[in-house]
Amino acid sequence: MKVKGFLKDVGGASRVTKMRQELIANGSPVPDPKDPIRALADALHPGKQDFVVTEVREASPTSTTYRFSPKNGHVPVFQCGQYVNFYLTIGQSVLTRAYSISSAPYEARLADPYFEITVRHNVPYLVPDWFLENLKVGAEITAALPFGQFYYEPLRDSRNIVGLAGGSGITPFASMAKEIAHGTLDVNLTVIYGSVKHTDIVCGDELQAAADACPDKIRLVHVMSEDEEWDGEKGFVTREIIEKYSPEDPSYFFCGPPVMYFMIEKTMKAIGVPRRRFRHDAAAQPKVTLIPSFPEDQIGKEYQLTVVRGIHEDVIPAKADEPVAVALERAGIPIDTHCRGGKCGYCRSQLLAGDIFVSPVNDGRRAMDKEFGWFHACSAYPVSDLRIKIPIM
Ligand code: FES
């Protein structure tokens, strides 16, 4: 044993400990406002920001694209496939709603920066119709971005990406296609896009323009389920179609309605796609009739929900076939939601009494949370009267 070296180490460690104790004792209890790293991080990602609607245009007969420019400053850096969260008050409901960004990241770095979302009309529950009626050019809205992990990561994903999309789930791939065509994303993209009729194709012109500009890197395959006039692929996005158009060694990315997700997930298993090579966007909650094991006898029932927020306590009605988050929103009680698919944890709440059903499709709770009665309000349904504690927004 080298005693001299050992004593030197002990002496050094005790000096460092003393220095550390002095620094802690003399340190400020508040973060240094001039910390350049903090200032840079805040400048790049300022949390909530105010944006102005600077363009509204048709993306298809059944969908609209909205362009948002920052009221002050810049658009935070984002990646193709990430989403933006809007903060809205509609009637007495206080809502947050997430939308995938349909514009490309390079468009957020132009001299007049912006980002865009594309919204399908007539989707149930308030928001798309509210956008249609209220978001005219010049309107202001509060939003935060970016969020989500649904983007190409070279350390994890193959450069041969197959985007499997349905309905407005095309928007992350529209963003990706535009970024590839601009020369700032070096991947090969095959998009297999399921629609009912060709008139339902969302962002069709933008996708085609990107594919025409970059034919060696972008391939579009449209599949129509009910379109007699269509002379391309017909039916659903099946295993045969996926295998027919898949390149060598692909990574599959899925974004679309929950019912399509169930079909695609089965197909991925049947083809033998490794789990790491199948990525999907956080799916919003499907109708309860589509959730495996949802207790049928609960459909149509209503319970009493006692909501504890700090020193406040409210008692509101909650339908058994709607997530707890929706009951809160209907009652005007703010709950921060982002993914609305059980994954991000922003709506994490505590169950104090009663029973809930948690959708196995979107159960993103940690093991310890399950053990100690924490749940995600966006993916849990009341099956008795409940008493819950939610975070204060
Ligand atoms: S909003 Fe993401 S887990 Fe509930």
Side-chain angles (χ1 to χ4, degrees), residues 88-125:
L88 312 165
T89 302
I90 303 178
Q92 67 157 5
S93 296
V94 182
L95 306 171
T96 51
R97 279 293 182 280
Y99 283 93
S100 287
I101 300 168
S102 56
S103 56
Y106 82 86
E107 292 168 307
R109 299 191 294 271
L110 298 173
D112 287 322
Y114 61 83
F115 74 89
E116 294 180 340
I117 61 162
T118 301
V119 176
R120 197 81 186 266
H121 310 161
N122 305 320
V123 177
Y125 196 49

Side-chain angles (χ1 to χ4, degrees), residues 83 336-348 376-379:
Y83 64 82
D336 201 4
T337 61
H338 283 211
C339 70
R340 297 183 82 80
K343 299 288 185 282
C344 71
Y346 273 87
C347 64
R348 182 173 175 267
H376 295 167
C378 68
S379 54

Side-chain angles (χ1 to χ4, degrees), residues 8 57 61 89 95 97 106 127 140 165 167 169 172 181 190 206 223 240-241 250 257 265 271 329 348 359 371 377 389:
K8 209 170 152 191
R57 64 178 189 275
T89 302
L95 306 171
R97 279 293 182 280
Y106 82 86
V127 174
E140 293 186 12
T190 301
E206 291 168 50
V223 185
E240 289 67 38
I241 288 178
E265 195 199 22
I271 298 176
E329 289 170 343
R348 182 173 175 267
S359 164
E371 187 87 2
K389 190 173 177 184

Side-chain angles (χ1 to χ4, degrees), residues 215-269:
D216 53 331
K217 285 185 171 285
I218 303 171
R219 182 177 196 186
L220 287 181
V221 180
H222 289 287
V223 185
M224 301 299 147
S225 62
E226 292 172 26
D227 193 334
E228 291 304 317
E229 297 164 31
W230 187 249
D231 60 1
E233 296 289 357
K234 286 185 184 170
F236 293 108
V237 177
T238 57
R239 174 177 181 168
E240 289 67 38
I241 288 178
I242 292 172
E243 287 186 322
K244 181 173 168 187
Y245 293 102
S246 289
E248 284 270 295
D249 188 32
S251 271
Y252 292 95
F253 283 56
F254 169 78
C255 187
V259 67
M260 187 175 173
Y261 168 73
F262 294 131
M263 286 164 37
I264 295 290
E265 195 199 22
K266 272 192 199 144
T267 306
M268 292 290 107
K269 280 188 186 144

Side-chain angles (χ1 to χ4, degrees), residues 306-314 352 387-392:
T306 304
V307 185
V308 180
R309 285 180 290 162
I311 55 168
H312 293 283
E313 201 166 302
D314 300 283
L352 303 175
R387 183 178 175 81
I388 64 170
K389 190 173 177 184
I390 65 168
I392 300 173

